[in-house]
Amino acid sequence: AARKLTIPVLALGGAQSIGPGVAACMRQVAEQVEEGIVPDSGHWLTEEQPEEVASRLLAFIATIGLRRADQS
């Protein structure tokens, strides 16, 4: 891509899988990457740790809303 994404990106990786590699890959294409490693999970995060993933998604979405409110 000619330009990186400027929107916030949540990059979650499983602790027993690629872990921080997800965020490393996303930083190549996005400027605002929030990294997270989900414990006790491998490749299938949403199946192995659904509550943890849902919690992190909700928290990430909430921070995006807060950032938008601050910019208004």
Side-chain angles (χ1 to χ4, degrees):
R3 296 183 305 154
K4 288 186 174 186
L5 295 172
T6 57
I7 60 171
V9 173
L10 177 62
L12 297 177
Q16 278 77 47
S17 184
I18 192 170
V22 175
C25 289
M26 291 308 302
R27 285 189 183 97
Q28 294 179 28
V29 297
E31 295 176 359
Q32 300 179 53
V33 177
E34 182 175 323
E35 177 178 339
I37 299 174
V38 180
D40 301 317
S41 63
H43 183 73
W44 304 105
L45 304 177
T46 55
E47 290 184 15
E48 297 171 18
Q49 296 295 331
E51 295 86 8
E52 178 73 17
V53 172
S55 174
R56 289 180 185 229
L57 282 171
L58 291 171
F60 177 72
I61 292 166
T63 64
I64 293 170
L66 291 174
R67 287 183 217 159
R68 285 182 146 187
D70 288 344
Q71 294 173 355
S72 298

